[in-house]
Amino acid sequence: MAKKTSNSQQSPSSSSSATKASTGEMVLKVQQSEGTRRSTRLSSVNAEGKRIVSVKKSKTKQKKKSAKVDSKIPKKPPTAFFYFLEDYRKELQEQNPGIKQMREIGKVCGEKWKTMTYEEKVQYYDIATEKRAEFEKAMAEYAQRKESGEDEETEDEEEEDWSV
């Protein structure tokens, strides 16, 4: 007849149980945690009985080759929030000259943007939509130039200049 008792001072990652055999001997069974299992898998014992730890090196990730970035491609315009930031940051720094960290300024501006009504945000949305329309027009022109091959000649010339 075996009787099990649990030890309350053990870590949650490993568990053990003490059993009392019929002969009166106390036998302790310990369940290994993942960390111990991993360390025993990575180690071995040499002829003298000393533990040799061998650590497997992780495979180095090969960097993906990124496509060439065209410097003539139009840049995306900022969102309405960034136009708001330009205006409100100036006001905030005038009212509170003690705030120097961008982190604090960003937090205050974000809270202000969240509390603003749609009517207050409309002016910034209008600016953003105008800039977005300009961007789309510029992208259409860029795509036409790219298809016709006008930009390819200038790119080749620029690459030759850099190789000197």
Side-chain angles (χ1 to χ4, degrees):
M1 190 186 243
K3 188 176 183 182
K4 289 187 178 181
T5 60
S6 63
N7 192 352
S8 62
Q9 295 177 350
Q10 294 174 359
S11 66
S13 62
S14 66
S15 64
S16 67
S17 61
T19 60
K20 195 170 187 179
S22 61
T23 60
E25 292 181 12
M26 190 69 132
V27 178
L28 183 64
K29 294 181 182 178
V30 179
Q31 184 180 14
Q32 292 181 335
S33 66
E34 181 60 33
T36 2
R37 283 189 216 131
R38 185 169 185 270
S39 64
T40 54
R41 275 183 271 157
L42 294 176
S43 64
S44 62
V45 180
N46 65 5
E48 298 171 0
K50 293 183 180 179
R51 179 183 256 180
I52 300 171
V53 178
S54 62
V55 179
K56 293 183 180 179
K57 293 182 181 179
S58 63
K59 295 180 182 178
T60 57
K61 294 183 179 179
Q62 295 178 351
K63 293 183 180 180
K64 294 181 180 178
K65 292 182 181 180
S66 60
K68 290 183 181 180
V69 178
D70 192 358
S71 62
K72 296 184 179 186
I73 193 167
K75 293 185 179 181
K76 289 185 179 180
T79 62
F81 176 70
F82 286 99
Y83 290 112
F84 162 74
L85 278 179
E86 288 178 17
D87 293 341
Y88 190 69
R89 193 180 308 138
K90 293 173 188 174
E91 293 176 21
L92 183 67
Q93 287 178 340
E94 289 174 2
Q95 294 171 358
N96 303 317
I99 298 177
K100 298 289 182 186
Q101 294 182 341
M102 287 301 293
R103 180 181 178 189
E104 293 175 14
I105 294 171
K107 283 182 180 180
V108 172
C109 291
E111 290 172 7
K112 174 68 176 172
W113 179 258
K114 287 179 184 177
T115 59
M116 289 174 64
T117 62
Y118 182 77
E119 289 78 26
E120 295 171 326
K121 294 179 183 180
V122 166
Q123 63 179 344
Y124 302 109
Y125 283 120
D126 290 341
I127 295 169
T129 52
E130 289 174 11
K131 298 291 184 179
R132 185 68 180 186
E134 292 174 11
F135 167 74
E136 289 173 358
K137 182 180 176 183
M139 278 300 290
E141 291 174 2
Y142 171 78
Q144 284 180 342
R145 285 194 313 259
K146 194 76 171 173
E147 288 175 3
S148 66
E150 293 177 18
D151 283 346
E152 291 177 10
E153 296 170 4
T154 57
E155 288 177 7
D156 293 336
E157 292 172 3
E158 290 175 3
E159 289 176 8
E160 291 173 8
D161 293 340
W162 286 102
S163 62
V164 175

